[in-house]
Amino acid sequence: MAKVAKEPIRDLIIGRNPVTEALKSGREIDRILVSSEEGSMKVIIARAKDRGIPVMKAERSALDRLAGGQPHQGVAAYVSAYSYSSVEDILALAEKKGEDPFLIILDGIEDPHNLGAIIRTADCAGAHGVIIPKRHSAGLTDTVAKASAGAIEYVPVARVSNIAQTIDSLKEKGIWVCACDMDGGLYTGQDLKGKIALVVGSEGFGVSRLVREKCDFIVSIPMRGHVNSLNASNAACCVMYEVRRQRDLG
């Protein structure tokens, strides 16, 4: 009996024509993997760059594994299982609710389980939305949706080209930007009321230097054990709920 080829994962489009059509249609694409830059692949790469979609080189063997035996013709695209919002959409939601904006900015969270957990906590804590970068970040995949326990349906997520520039834009709108990172003030001792955006850094490196410099102030969570840091989603949860506590107290 012939072996049945494994079905490709749901968040992946494979093959030159399918990827080209996805690009032309304007579908949300997180990143594209290519095994070469020759022939018709140049058109795909050019279209992707025009739309600001990251293109990454991948070995053909890696694409073979991703495609699960289906013909990929040297190209695969990770697509979003859910649609992205804009930063303006998030701010409009806060205005509609008559509340000061409460945003979560993620500086390079690449683990989809962490991203999903943060979206879940953002919903529970009453944040108006989450902002992620186009590069070096998990996208809105089914894995993220499952980890969010359904919160992805209610929390708008905006994807931006440049986190530092986005922070500048938010500050121009009167929003204070606070990073959760090392060497900051105790998070429970800072005034986190009013218009606030909380920045959480990557799992391994924390908040990047440029983004940290753009923030108005830094808060830290005290560590009393043998390890010196929390998982990114746990750290985000602590500070989000401190924002919630202060808001509820007025």
Side-chain angles (χ1 to χ4, degrees):
M1 181 181 294
K3 185 176 180 181
V4 176
K6 181 180 176 183
E7 184 179 349
I9 61 174
R10 189 175 149 191
D11 301 316
L12 196 70
I13 294 176
I14 59 173
R16 299 194 182 193
N17 285 337
V19 171
T20 298
E21 292 303 319
L23 284 165
K24 288 165 62 177
S25 71
R27 184 167 182 182
E28 292 281 2
I29 298 176
D30 288 329
R31 64 188 184 279
I32 295 175
L33 307 180
V34 299
S35 62
S36 73
E37 300 180 10
E38 304 299 325
S40 62
M41 203 75 79
K42 292 180 179 179
V43 177
I44 291 175
I45 293 170
R47 284 184 182 274
K49 289 183 177 178
D50 286 344
R51 289 187 49 194
I53 298 169
V55 177
M56 307 169 74
K57 190 72 180 293
E59 295 293 333
R60 199 169 186 89
S61 58
L63 290 174
D64 289 341
R65 289 193 298 272
L66 283 175
Q70 300 295 316
H72 54 73
Q73 300 174 300
V75 60
Y78 280 98
V79 298
S80 300
Y82 294 83
S83 297
Y84 291 97
S85 299
S86 67
V87 175
E88 289 71 24
D89 291 334
I90 296 173
L91 296 175
L93 177 60
E95 184 177 5
K96 181 179 179 180
K97 291 184 174 182
E99 299 171 349
D100 285 331
F102 175 17
L103 292 78
I104 312 302
I105 301 174
L106 304 181
D107 184 21
I109 299 293
E110 297 186 345
D111 185 330
H113 295 92
N114 270 341
L115 176 56
I118 289 170
I119 292 172
R120 181 178 185 174
T121 303
D123 179 57
C124 293
H128 298 108
V130 174
I131 299 172
I132 63 175
K134 287 185 176 180
R135 294 178 179 271
H136 307 299
S137 174
L140 297 185
T141 63
D142 280 340
T143 301
V144 172
K146 289 174 184 175
S148 79
I152 197 171
E153 303 286 355
Y154 306 102
V155 178
V157 177
R159 192 169 61 162
V160 300
S161 298
N162 190 297
I163 290 292
Q165 290 178 5
T166 299
I167 288 174
D168 285 338
S169 176
L170 292 174
K171 289 167 71 173
E172 289 173 359
K173 293 176 172 63
I175 297 172
W176 289 87
V177 182
C178 161
C180 179
D181 206 9
M182 303 291 287
D183 304 320
L186 183 64
Y187 77 109
T188 55
Q190 299 294 314
D191 184 356
L192 302 176
K193 298 186 294 294
K195 301 177 179 181
I196 190 85
L198 170 65
V199 180
V200 179
S202 70
E203 295 89 351
F205 302 100
V207 179
S208 62
R209 180 189 58 80
L210 178 59
V211 169
R212 181 183 169 111
E213 290 173 354
K214 292 284 185 180
C215 295
D216 294 302
F217 57 98
I218 314 295
V219 297
S220 295
I221 300 169
M223 298 290 120
R224 299 290 184 259
H226 294 89
V227 295
N228 63 1
S229 66
L230 288 171
N231 172 281
S233 62
N234 291 334
C237 180
C238 289
V239 185
M240 274 193 264
Y241 264 94
E242 179 59 20
V243 174
R244 181 75 269 153
R245 184 187 72 84
Q246 292 188 23
R247 287 192 168 206
D248 289 346
L249 291 175

